[in-house]
Amino acid sequence: MTEKKSTKKIIAYNILFVVITGSLFLFLWNAPPETTAFLPLDENHERFMPMGKKEAEKFCNDCHGDGEDAELSADHPDKYRCLFCHKRVVPEKPEE
Ligand code: HEC
Ligand code: HEC
């Protein structure tokens, strides 16, 4: 009786494990590909290279915000943290 119960528990834990690792895999698989454009190394973006990510992201909308000169395309993906997707080429300072 107790033995049956624990077998069921073990099976349940195994299923749970497979579901969790499976979803994690799918989540990572669906992440944006590394082909996303890097932050360009030009006069507009140079100053962001040594900055902390959060600090630098405050300035992006000055040029890439709605109605600005370099407005993002309508089908641009989630805009929350620019530099998580658009990597800088310079080694990163640790996040403040
Ligand atoms: C002073 C204005 C300005 C600021 C501030 C600025 N950008 Fe830009 N950005 C531009 C312009 C203009 C272009 C298009 C020409 C070029 O490639 O440099 C561009 C291009 C880009 C590109 C390249 C797109 C492609 O198709 O290759 C990325 C990525 C980008 N910006 C991200 C950012 C991020 C992230 C920030 C904030 C850290 C930022 N920009 C801040 C003006 C700016
Ligand atoms: C979830 C990932 C992600 C985030 C966050 C993100 N981008 Fe992008 N961005 C992309 C992808 C994917 C493209 C499509 C073109 C490519 O492959 O680079 C793109 C394209 C661009 C372009 C080229 C022009 C256009 O509209 O297609 C610019 C400029 C740009 N992003 C700037 C930014 C800025 C500024 C932010 C923050 C406000 C930002 N991105 C946040 C993934 C992202």
Side-chain angles (χ1 to χ4, degrees):
M1 174 64 193
T2 39
E3 208 175 299
K4 251 194 186 155
K5 228 183 189 172
S6 71
T7 314
K8 263 193 192 157
K9 246 189 190 167
I10 290 172
I11 292 175
Y13 278 129
N14 273 295
I15 291 174
L16 195 67
F17 175 77
V18 168
V19 168
I20 290 172
T21 33
S23 351
L24 196 65
F25 175 77
L26 277 180
F27 175 75
L28 294 171
W29 184 259
N30 285 322
E34 264 300 357
T35 52
T36 304
F38 280 78
L39 195 61
L41 187 56
D42 60 15
E43 65 277 14
N44 284 327
H45 303 91
E46 234 165 22
R47 64 191 177 114
F48 301 123
M49 301 298 168
M51 262 186 212
K53 286 199 182 88
K54 275 197 179 140
E55 198 189 345
E57 281 160 352
K58 288 182 200 143
F59 302 98
C60 306
N61 280 333
D62 292 354
C63 302
H64 293 292
D66 292 339
E68 303 296 339
D69 289 347
E71 193 177 335
L72 301 180
S73 55
D75 58 353
H76 185 282
D78 175 34
K79 300 170 193 163
Y80 177 51
R81 294 290 310 267
C82 315
L83 296 176
F84 279 8
C85 297
H86 300 288
K87 302 258 167 66
R88 295 165 299 177
V89 278
V90 172
E92 297 175 8
K93 260 191 359 184
E95 198 73 53
E96 61 273 39

